[in-house]
Each structure stands twice: as structure tokens, then as C-alpha cells.
Amino acid sequence: MSPSSRRVTVLWFAVLRERRGLRSELLETAATTPAELYAELSARHSLGLEQRLVRVAIDGAFSTMEARLMDGVEVAFIPPVAGG
Amino acid sequence: MFQMTLEPIPTEPRVEVGAGAVVTFDGRVRNMNDGREVVSLEYDAYAELAEKEGESILQEAMRRFGLMEASCVHRTGHLHLGEVAIRVRAVAGHRREAFDACRWILDEVKRRVPIWKKEHYADGESDWLIGESVAPAPSEYYDRQVRMPGFGPEAQQRLAEASVLMVGAGGLGCAALPYLAGAGIGRITVLDDDRVALDNLHRQILFEAGQVGRSKAVIAAERLAKQNPLIRVEAVEGRLTAANALDYVAGFDLVIDGTDNFRTKFALNDACVSAGVPLLVASVHGFEGEIMLVDPNGLGGCLQCLWPDPPEDGCVGTCAEVGILGVVPGVLGLLQATEAIKWLTGLGHTLGEGLLLVDLLEVSTRRLARAKRPECSVCGSGKSPAVQWTIEWHERGVRMLIDVRDPAEIALQPCPEADVALPYDSFLARLDELPVADGYALVCRSGTRTEHLARVLHQQGRTEFVSIAGGLRARPSGDQVSTNGLPGRL
């Protein structure tokens, strides 16, 4: 692991889970914020959901896309869900 | 009309010669009940049980009053004004027994025979009523739940006094509603403008294949009223929008979101925060679902704290597009019912500030902590600005005061400072009719309606509208109100 990167667990939900094809993944990233991380993964996996429509939770609590990503955290990306 | 005649008086079926008195009573459908205009009635009965119980009432009347004959016929189905709903006939030796018996039979039938009455009102609404018909003993009906440790008669009483609005009788609502009714929530209103479709039936379990095309709200309410005659159930066939949401939610103890689109969910969130009514929001996608409680007085904030910029419908697909397994909204609807019962009785810990994510494919749950966003445009400081009576008007450049109350309210308590009246219900639709001004202050009775209007208008970029905090209730008395605060009065 390079000094400038961190290892995070990413959790995917609902439509993002379908598009990523995974429930969770452990990855190493140079991203320093959830925004950077989402942009990186969205481009890599063609997630096709604008960042403004995605909420992030870090270690079980809702956070902001501009929060600082620490090594070892669990990052959950949550798209809007409307079905009923 | 009083008349003497030599002609024989026409008689109904023959009676034995010792019968000196025949009393026949006809109960007919009339046009008013409890101050509401009724246009028709529907009776539904559990026929086998009704006839058995009815027969035993007649036998008892024969013995009790020494009757020679007793009969009763009760209509079922749809009845129009003037039609006979019930006919009771008592035949006795003397008039006193015949009158008394007729009255007694009628009262007993209403009290004991399982017949449900539904009134259709002139305003398009309808109600299933227990009326005076069969009312099971609450102590027996709720026995198993009242027995639970920590529940008891107190919790039951809190449910009996509670009112819940279920918005949407779809997959979530169909699951939540029967348990809410069974638990004994005193007043349940089912709001839905949709009709049953064949592709609903795999998940919307209150409906039958033979009911395709009928109103979901009406059928759901009928089912619940039969399930628990001890509660009051109302069907409202309507569609909740940003403009009417406040009217729908105001006054309820709890609102449950069973809708399937963002527009309605955010309108509901906005209205519930305005009205101070807690809201249980749930949504599903595939095998996943989520549920949260928006408590206007809590620390977790509202739906818009999570999504400051509400997603537009279609951005992630609907049930119609992406499909849904029936049991998924079922499970989430049951969670909503559970949380509703807990919230209303004060039992246990509710979802509080959490958002619960449920994954039924992996059978796992995850609870995420929410927090109020202080600058939220719905529940935080970002909400539309309110002004106080008098001084602030000038500082904020208010030019015109608009009274948004109904004409009837205005007639009861006029607001002399108002320049224009434009009622809340049609305000947004009639915005163009307002005289041109630099700014507008809105006033209503308590400030709730104007706060909501100002917020909706601000979200549309119409920042020239402000709400007068506290409405007329907060108006200082007499000449303390200075109209000097309205420099541009038209």
C-alpha cells in the first residue's frame, strides 16, 4: 500500500449494487473523500448515477461526500429508493 | 291526514283472529347522518351468522312479549335514499306488547347481528360504520395483545385514541394496514387514488382478482372495517400533492408513507414537518428495503436532510420498471406497522435517528445513523423565512398582505390589514391572479398553512413570499398592529 493510498470497504445498495454486481468490496484507493472515491468507481464501473443522487455513510453513520476518508473505514454508497 | 271510512282497510298478510295488534316498522335510508349528507348506503353481512343470530332474537321476542308472530327482514347490498333497509313485524294480542316487541327486536338486531353499514356521502367520501351493529367485546378482541408483558390496558387505550393516515394502499400499505387495524388503532384513514390492477395482486394482498378496476382505498377500508368493527376506518380516494398534502396530514398522530415515488414522498415529508406530525417512510428496491422515522421533534432530521436536492422520479426505476418480489414491500410494511404501534404506545425503542436498510436476499439488516442538517430547507434554518407581526414587515420590504384562509374563516374573524384574500387550497394554482407587488406576506390562522406555502414557493424560486409567524393567533391585540409596516399597500 503506497503512503498516499488507503484501504476501504465499499458497500453497495439497491440500484448501485445491481450495476456494480457486488454487495461489497475491499479496495485500495488514492481518493481522499467519498466524492473522489465515488467518481473513481463510477467511471471505472460505468455506474451511471449522478453523484448528487448518492448518499454516503461512513462506518454506519450518514456523512458528506466531502468528509475525509480514513484508512480502514467502511463506506456505504446509497442511491435513492422509491418503490412501494 | 285523518280520515274516517266505510271501506275495509287494506291489510298485510293474514294473522290469527286473536291478534289484536300488528306493528310493522320500516327503517329507511335517509339523507343525513351525523350532520353529513348521505347519498346511498351499502350493507354487508356475514349471512349465515346473521340469520342464525336474527332467528334467536325473534324466538326470544316471542317468549318475552308473548307474541303470536315475529319477523324481520334486513337488506344487504347497495341501497338508495328512501329504500327500506329493515322491516320488523310483531303480532300480539294487544298493542302494547306489539309496539314494545317491535322496538326491542329492532334494537337487538342492531346490537347483535353482524351487519356492516357503509355510508356514501355527497362529498364523494364513504365510511364503514359499526353503527349499533355487532360490536365485539374489546376485552376479548385485544386479549392476546393486552396480555403481553409491558403492554396492558394503558397501551391499548393509547392505540384506541390514536389516528393514523396510510398514504397509499399498495404493497407497503396492504401489509401494514391489517395489523394496524387488528391492533386497534382508533381511526385509520386510507388515502389512495389508484385502482386495483392485475399486476398488483402478487404483492397487494388486500385485493382479489375479481376486484380489478375498483378503488384501492375503498376496498382496503372495507376489509379493515370488517376485520375490526371496533375502529373507525375511512377511505379517501385522492392523490396527495405538494399543494394539498398539509390538508391531508394535519391532525393525525402518525402518517405512514406507502407511496412509490419521490415526488409524493418529499411532499409528504414537507407537510408532516410543517404540521408537526411524525412520518414513517419506507421504500423498496428488488430484495432490499429501507425504513426511517421522521420525527419533527427529533434529532434525526427529515427526508430532505438526507436528500437536500430531492431525486427526480425515474432516476432509479419504479416497481413497474424494475420489478419487485411481493414479499419485500410486505416485510417493510410490517416493519412500518410495528414501528407505528411502538411509537403510538411508547413501547420499546423506535427507529429514532436511524435508517434501517434491510437486505432480504442476504437476510441482513444495517442501521445507519442520521442527523438533522441544520441548514435543511424543510426542517432547519433554510426553511422559508417567517416574519413577525408589525415591525419586521417594513424591514423585509413586505408590500402586500394576503389572507389565505377560507372565506368562512375570514367571515368569522376578519383580518383588517389584509390587502387580498386568496385561499390556501387554490393558492398555487391561482398565483398569477395576485396583483403585482415587490413582496408578499401570507397570513392564516396559526401560521401552518402559510409556512407551508412559503416553503413550496421558495423551492420554486419565488422568494418574494414570506409567512407571518404564528398567523392571526400571534397577532397583537388592537392598535398594536401598525399598518405603517406596509409601505407599498395597494
Side-chain angles (χ1 to χ4, degrees), chain B residues 177-194:
Chain B
L177 283 168
Y179 286 96
L180 297 173
I185 287 169
R187 183 161 74 97
I188 298 176
T189 300
V190 186
L191 171 63
D192 202 318
D193 71 335
D194 201 10

PDB file of all heavy atoms in Angstrom, chain B residues 177-194:
ATOM      1  N   LEU B 177     -51.598  -2.252   6.921  1.00  0.00           N
ATOM      2  CA  LEU B 177     -52.954  -1.905   7.353  1.00  0.00           C
ATOM      3  C   LEU B 177     -53.661  -2.965   8.201  1.00  0.00           C
ATOM      4  O   LEU B 177     -54.241  -2.623   9.234  1.00  0.00           O
ATOM      5  CB  LEU B 177     -53.802  -1.535   6.132  1.00  0.00           C
ATOM      6  CG  LEU B 177     -53.527  -0.137   5.568  1.00  0.00           C
ATOM      7  CD1 LEU B 177     -54.180   0.037   4.201  1.00  0.00           C
ATOM      8  CD2 LEU B 177     -54.026   0.940   6.524  1.00  0.00           C
ATOM      9  N   PRO B 178     -53.668  -4.248   7.792  1.00  0.00           N
ATOM     10  CA  PRO B 178     -54.425  -5.211   8.603  1.00  0.00           C
ATOM     11  C   PRO B 178     -53.893  -5.317  10.038  1.00  0.00           C
ATOM     12  O   PRO B 178     -54.665  -5.538  10.971  1.00  0.00           O
ATOM     13  CB  PRO B 178     -54.238  -6.537   7.867  1.00  0.00           C
ATOM     14  CG  PRO B 178     -53.859  -6.161   6.480  1.00  0.00           C
ATOM     15  CD  PRO B 178     -53.107  -4.877   6.586  1.00  0.00           C
ATOM     16  N   TYR B 179     -52.595  -5.137  10.207  1.00  0.00           N
ATOM     17  CA  TYR B 179     -52.047  -5.216  11.566  1.00  0.00           C
ATOM     18  C   TYR B 179     -52.340  -3.963  12.374  1.00  0.00           C
ATOM     19  O   TYR B 179     -52.499  -4.023  13.590  1.00  0.00           O
ATOM     20  CB  TYR B 179     -50.543  -5.506  11.521  1.00  0.00           C
ATOM     21  CG  TYR B 179     -50.291  -6.940  11.139  1.00  0.00           C
ATOM     22  CD1 TYR B 179     -50.021  -7.300   9.832  1.00  0.00           C
ATOM     23  CD2 TYR B 179     -50.386  -7.949  12.095  1.00  0.00           C
ATOM     24  CE1 TYR B 179     -49.837  -8.618   9.469  1.00  0.00           C
ATOM     25  CE2 TYR B 179     -50.203  -9.272  11.751  1.00  0.00           C
ATOM     26  CZ  TYR B 179     -49.925  -9.607  10.437  1.00  0.00           C
ATOM     27  OH  TYR B 179     -49.757 -10.916  10.087  1.00  0.00           O
ATOM     28  N   LEU B 180     -52.408  -2.835  11.695  1.00  0.00           N
ATOM     29  CA  LEU B 180     -52.780  -1.597  12.389  1.00  0.00           C
ATOM     30  C   LEU B 180     -54.230  -1.700  12.845  1.00  0.00           C
ATOM     31  O   LEU B 180     -54.582  -1.317  13.962  1.00  0.00           O
ATOM     32  CB  LEU B 180     -52.601  -0.396  11.465  1.00  0.00           C
ATOM     33  CG  LEU B 180     -51.166  -0.120  10.993  1.00  0.00           C
ATOM     34  CD1 LEU B 180     -51.166   0.998   9.951  1.00  0.00           C
ATOM     35  CD2 LEU B 180     -50.275   0.245  12.168  1.00  0.00           C
ATOM     36  N   ALA B 181     -55.085  -2.231  11.955  1.00  0.00           N
ATOM     37  CA  ALA B 181     -56.498  -2.387  12.305  1.00  0.00           C
ATOM     38  C   ALA B 181     -56.653  -3.410  13.429  1.00  0.00           C
ATOM     39  O   ALA B 181     -57.362  -3.174  14.405  1.00  0.00           O
ATOM     40  CB  ALA B 181     -57.299  -2.817  11.080  1.00  0.00           C
ATOM     41  N   GLY B 182     -55.972  -4.528  13.296  1.00  0.00           N
ATOM     42  CA  GLY B 182     -56.070  -5.573  14.301  1.00  0.00           C
ATOM     43  C   GLY B 182     -55.592  -5.099  15.667  1.00  0.00           C
ATOM     44  O   GLY B 182     -56.146  -5.470  16.695  1.00  0.00           O
ATOM     45  N   ALA B 183     -54.565  -4.256  15.655  1.00  0.00           N
ATOM     46  CA  ALA B 183     -54.018  -3.760  16.917  1.00  0.00           C
ATOM     47  C   ALA B 183     -54.972  -2.790  17.600  1.00  0.00           C
ATOM     48  O   ALA B 183     -54.826  -2.494  18.780  1.00  0.00           O
ATOM     49  CB  ALA B 183     -52.665  -3.082  16.683  1.00  0.00           C
ATOM     50  N   GLY B 184     -55.945  -2.265  16.841  1.00  0.00           N
ATOM     51  CA  GLY B 184     -56.952  -1.411  17.468  1.00  0.00           C
ATOM     52  C   GLY B 184     -56.657   0.069  17.411  1.00  0.00           C
ATOM     53  O   GLY B 184     -57.074   0.818  18.304  1.00  0.00           O
ATOM     54  N   ILE B 185     -55.957   0.515  16.371  1.00  0.00           N
ATOM     55  CA  ILE B 185     -55.752   1.955  16.214  1.00  0.00           C
ATOM     56  C   ILE B 185     -57.107   2.574  15.922  1.00  0.00           C
ATOM     57  O   ILE B 185     -57.801   2.185  14.978  1.00  0.00           O
ATOM     58  CB  ILE B 185     -54.717   2.235  15.113  1.00  0.00           C
ATOM     59  CG1 ILE B 185     -53.348   1.865  15.679  1.00  0.00           C
ATOM     60  CG2 ILE B 185     -54.758   3.689  14.661  1.00  0.00           C
ATOM     61  CD1 ILE B 185     -52.240   1.825  14.707  1.00  0.00           C
ATOM     62  N   GLY B 186     -57.512   3.535  16.747  1.00  0.00           N
ATOM     63  CA  GLY B 186     -58.889   4.012  16.774  1.00  0.00           C
ATOM     64  C   GLY B 186     -59.416   4.562  15.476  1.00  0.00           C
ATOM     65  O   GLY B 186     -60.580   4.393  15.143  1.00  0.00           O
ATOM     66  N   ARG B 187     -58.553   5.263  14.729  1.00  0.00           N
ATOM     67  CA  ARG B 187     -59.016   5.843  13.466  1.00  0.00           C
ATOM     68  C   ARG B 187     -57.939   5.642  12.416  1.00  0.00           C
ATOM     69  O   ARG B 187     -56.799   6.069  12.590  1.00  0.00           O
ATOM     70  CB  ARG B 187     -59.303   7.330  13.628  1.00  0.00           C
ATOM     71  CG  ARG B 187     -59.851   7.954  12.352  1.00  0.00           C
ATOM     72  CD  ARG B 187     -60.558   9.278  12.647  1.00  0.00           C
ATOM     73  NE  ARG B 187     -59.624  10.354  12.941  1.00  0.00           N
ATOM     74  CZ  ARG B 187     -59.217  11.239  12.027  1.00  0.00           C
ATOM     75  NH1 ARG B 187     -59.630  11.169  10.789  1.00  0.00           N
ATOM     76  NH2 ARG B 187     -58.387  12.205  12.361  1.00  0.00           N
ATOM     77  N   ILE B 188     -58.295   4.973  11.351  1.00  0.00           N
ATOM     78  CA  ILE B 188     -57.355   4.734  10.256  1.00  0.00           C
ATOM     79  C   ILE B 188     -57.950   5.319   8.990  1.00  0.00           C
ATOM     80  O   ILE B 188     -59.096   5.036   8.645  1.00  0.00           O
ATOM     81  CB  ILE B 188     -57.103   3.222  10.056  1.00  0.00           C
ATOM     82  CG1 ILE B 188     -56.471   2.620  11.318  1.00  0.00           C
ATOM     83  CG2 ILE B 188     -56.197   2.978   8.842  1.00  0.00           C
ATOM     84  CD1 ILE B 188     -56.283   1.107  11.242  1.00  0.00           C
ATOM     85  N   THR B 189     -57.177   6.142   8.318  1.00  0.00           N
ATOM     86  CA  THR B 189     -57.610   6.693   7.040  1.00  0.00           C
ATOM     87  C   THR B 189     -56.694   6.159   5.949  1.00  0.00           C
ATOM     88  O   THR B 189     -55.476   6.204   6.079  1.00  0.00           O
ATOM     89  CB  THR B 189     -57.571   8.235   7.070  1.00  0.00           C
ATOM     90  OG1 THR B 189     -58.437   8.689   8.094  1.00  0.00           O
ATOM     91  CG2 THR B 189     -58.014   8.817   5.740  1.00  0.00           C
ATOM     92  N   VAL B 190     -57.312   5.633   4.900  1.00  0.00           N
ATOM     93  CA  VAL B 190     -56.550   5.081   3.779  1.00  0.00           C
ATOM     94  C   VAL B 190     -56.697   6.023   2.591  1.00  0.00           C
ATOM     95  O   VAL B 190     -57.810   6.260   2.124  1.00  0.00           O
ATOM     96  CB  VAL B 190     -57.066   3.682   3.382  1.00  0.00           C
ATOM     97  CG1 VAL B 190     -56.169   3.068   2.313  1.00  0.00           C
ATOM     98  CG2 VAL B 190     -57.157   2.771   4.604  1.00  0.00           C
ATOM     99  N   LEU B 191     -55.581   6.587   2.159  1.00  0.00           N
ATOM    100  CA  LEU B 191     -55.592   7.552   1.061  1.00  0.00           C
ATOM    101  C   LEU B 191     -54.936   6.938  -0.165  1.00  0.00           C
ATOM    102  O   LEU B 191     -53.776   6.523  -0.106  1.00  0.00           O
ATOM    103  CB  LEU B 191     -54.835   8.814   1.492  1.00  0.00           C
ATOM    104  CG  LEU B 191     -54.541   9.870   0.419  1.00  0.00           C
ATOM    105  CD1 LEU B 191     -55.829  10.455  -0.131  1.00  0.00           C
ATOM    106  CD2 LEU B 191     -53.661  10.973   0.981  1.00  0.00           C
ATOM    107  N   ASP B 192     -55.672   6.846  -1.243  1.00  0.00           N
ATOM    108  CA  ASP B 192     -55.105   6.325  -2.490  1.00  0.00           C
ATOM    109  C   ASP B 192     -56.066   6.680  -3.614  1.00  0.00           C
ATOM    110  O   ASP B 192     -57.270   6.598  -3.438  1.00  0.00           O
ATOM    111  CB  ASP B 192     -54.921   4.793  -2.408  1.00  0.00           C
ATOM    112  CG  ASP B 192     -53.882   4.292  -3.408  1.00  0.00           C
ATOM    113  OD1 ASP B 192     -53.894   4.769  -4.557  1.00  0.00           O
ATOM    114  OD2 ASP B 192     -53.076   3.428  -3.038  1.00  0.00           O
ATOM    115  N   ASP B 193     -55.526   7.081  -4.746  1.00  0.00           N
ATOM    116  CA  ASP B 193     -56.406   7.392  -5.873  1.00  0.00           C
ATOM    117  C   ASP B 193     -56.334   6.308  -6.946  1.00  0.00           C
ATOM    118  O   ASP B 193     -56.935   6.427  -7.993  1.00  0.00           O
ATOM    119  CB  ASP B 193     -56.030   8.741  -6.502  1.00  0.00           C
ATOM    120  CG  ASP B 193     -54.710   8.665  -7.246  1.00  0.00           C
ATOM    121  OD1 ASP B 193     -53.880   7.798  -6.907  1.00  0.00           O
ATOM    122  OD2 ASP B 193     -54.500   9.474  -8.168  1.00  0.00           O
ATOM    123  N   ASP B 194     -55.580   5.250  -6.628  1.00  0.00           N
ATOM    124  CA  ASP B 194     -55.309   4.225  -7.631  1.00  0.00           C
ATOM    125  C   ASP B 194     -56.399   3.147  -7.618  1.00  0.00           C
ATOM    126  O   ASP B 194     -57.149   3.014  -6.651  1.00  0.00           O
ATOM    127  CB  ASP B 194     -53.946   3.593  -7.325  1.00  0.00           C
ATOM    128  CG  ASP B 194     -53.354   2.917  -8.548  1.00  0.00           C
ATOM    129  OD1 ASP B 194     -53.895   3.106  -9.652  1.00  0.00           O
ATOM    130  OD2 ASP B 194     -52.350   2.196  -8.382  1.00  0.00           O
TER     131      ASP B 194
END
